[in-house]
């Protein structure tokens, strides 16, 4: 199937809203058949497999980092430096363009989430493979966060269908609209009417200052908008991802 990266186009929003509608319409039936965390896990695996390019590399990387995580947590190691290096190695190789097998979308965020889960394991226990996978590959936060805590994410998985409420739909929708406004209106206006007209090759002091501030404003609205959309959609799915740029 076609490429449907998070927030890459209308197709992604249609897919995610379809899943949200499915969860809310059939939550009472699903609750008697399958746990929330299992249905979320299945949905994530299907999304990665059929809608993300080079999905086999992502799934291979998932198995790799979980194996390191499982060995570390199961043996109750106290030193975190060595597993952090092992987990970060593919990201480091990717940055140096050494092996194409490690060219995985979202590799930085997946790496950071794994390290964070290792650190939290001392105080909050380990994640099952289902919980670990959902935490690492949750579609709305896959590419650029916001970063969540593994134990907090696990709590939402355990609450499950309880988080699928009309109040969370309204709350998530409000945050989503702010994100759309920031990313697709404010950021685009700054880019089109302020940033692009500036001569990027100019060495005039005022032009350089203007360029620096215009890009900073553009970057804020673009990334804050992305983060708000991720938080809003997550809340509607039942996962209360913490606000970024609060």
């Amino acid at each position: 199937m076609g490429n449907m990266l998070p927030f890459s186009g209308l197709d992604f929003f249609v897919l995610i809203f379809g899943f949200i509608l499915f969860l809310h319409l059939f939550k009472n039936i699903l609750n008697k058949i399958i746990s929330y965390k299992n249905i979320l896990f299945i949905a994530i695996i299907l999304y990665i497999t059929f809608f993300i390019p080079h999905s086999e590399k992502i799934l291979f990387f998932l198995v790799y980092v979980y194996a390191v995580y499982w060995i570390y947590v199961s043996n109750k190691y106290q030193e975190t430096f060595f597993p952090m290096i092992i987990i970060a190695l593919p990201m480091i190789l990717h940055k140096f363009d050494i092996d194409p097998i490690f060219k995985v979308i979202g590799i930085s965020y997946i790496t950071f989430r794994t390290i964070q889960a290792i650190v939290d394991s001392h105080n909050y226990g380990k994640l099952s493979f289902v919980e670990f996978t959902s935490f690492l590959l949750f579609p709305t936060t896959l590419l650029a966060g916001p970063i969540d805590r593994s134990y907090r994410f696990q709590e939402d998985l355990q609450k499950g269908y309880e988080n699928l409420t009309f109040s969370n739909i309204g709350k998530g929708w409000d945050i989503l609209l702010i994100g759309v406004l920031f990313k697709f209106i404010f950021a685009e206006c700054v880019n089109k009417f302020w940033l692009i007209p500036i001569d990027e090759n100019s060495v005039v002091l005022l032009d350089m200052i203007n360029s620096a501030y215009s890009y900073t404003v553009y970057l804020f609205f673009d990334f804050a908008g992305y983060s708000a959309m991720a938080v809003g959609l997550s809340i509607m799915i039942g996962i209360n991802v913490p606000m970024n740029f609060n």
Side-chain angles (χ1 to χ4, degrees):
M1 296 184 182
N3 181 347
M4 204 177 292
L5 292 174
F7 306 103
S8 60
L10 183 60
D11 288 348
F12 172 78
F13 286 96
V14 171
L15 181 68
I16 203 79
F17 276 119
F19 180 61
I20 292 170
L21 183 64
F22 170 75
L23 285 178
H24 284 265
L25 285 178
F26 299 104
K27 63 180 180 180
N28 292 329
I29 299 175
L30 293 170
N31 193 25
K32 300 175 183 177
I33 301 174
I34 184 173
S35 69
Y36 172 84
K37 68 178 181 181
N38 283 338
I39 197 168
L40 185 63
F41 168 77
I42 293 171
I44 289 172
I45 292 297
L46 290 175
Y47 170 72
I48 295 295
T49 302
F50 293 106
F51 297 107
I52 297 294
H54 308 297
S55 59
E56 69 281 356
K57 294 182 179 180
I58 297 178
L59 297 177
F60 172 79
F61 185 57
L62 168 67
V63 173
Y64 169 80
V65 294
Y66 182 74
V68 177
Y69 171 83
W70 185 86
I71 292 171
Y72 175 83
V73 174
S74 296
N75 289 280
K76 299 181 180 180
Y77 294 133
Q78 297 300 312
E79 179 58 52
T80 58
F81 180 74
F82 181 70
M84 285 181 182
I85 294 299
I86 298 299
I87 287 171
L89 182 61
M91 180 180 68
I92 295 171
L93 294 176
H94 170 66
K95 299 302 181 183
F96 285 99
D97 199 24
I98 291 179
D99 191 333
I101 196 172
F102 295 124
K103 289 185 176 180
V104 175
I105 63 165
I107 187 171
S108 297
Y109 276 86
I110 293 174
T111 300
F112 296 148
R113 288 188 188 100
T114 305
I115 292 174
Q116 186 272 313
I118 282 180
V119 173
D120 273 351
S121 66
H122 289 307
N123 296 321
Y124 301 100
K126 66 179 180 179
L127 304 173
S128 68
F129 180 71
V130 168
E131 294 168 337
F132 184 87
T133 300
S134 298
F135 175 62
L136 258 63
L137 303 182
F138 191 55
T140 60
T141 60
L142 177 63
L143 298 184
I147 289 291
D148 200 354
R149 300 301 294 265
S150 58
Y151 67 88
R152 199 223 57 76
F153 190 93
Q154 187 181 37
E155 289 174 357
D156 276 344
L157 290 180
Q158 292 169 350
K159 290 178 182 177
Y161 298 105
E162 294 177 17
N163 285 343
L164 299 177
T165 63
F166 284 114
S167 61
N168 277 342
I169 285 285
K171 179 181 177 182
W173 180 257
D174 289 343
I175 298 173
L176 174 65
L177 289 182
I178 292 173
V180 170
L181 180 66
F182 274 26
K183 183 172 178 64
F184 296 115
I185 305 299
F186 289 172
E188 287 302 313
C189 286
V190 170
N191 185 49
K192 183 176 181 179
F193 299 111
W194 186 5
L195 182 59
I196 290 179
I198 299 173
D199 181 5
E200 62 182 15
N201 297 315
S202 175
V203 294
V204 177
L205 180 59
L206 289 178
D207 287 341
M208 290 190 289
I209 293 174
N210 193 24
S211 179
Y213 277 98
S214 62
Y215 184 72
T216 300
V217 173
Y218 167 75
L219 188 62
F220 168 78
F221 281 120
D222 183 74
F223 192 49
Y226 180 99
S227 297
M229 289 191 297
V231 170
L233 287 175
S234 299
I235 290 173
M236 286 190 271
I237 293 173
I239 303 294
N240 292 290
V241 173
M243 280 295 294
N244 202 355
F245 294 94
N246 187 352

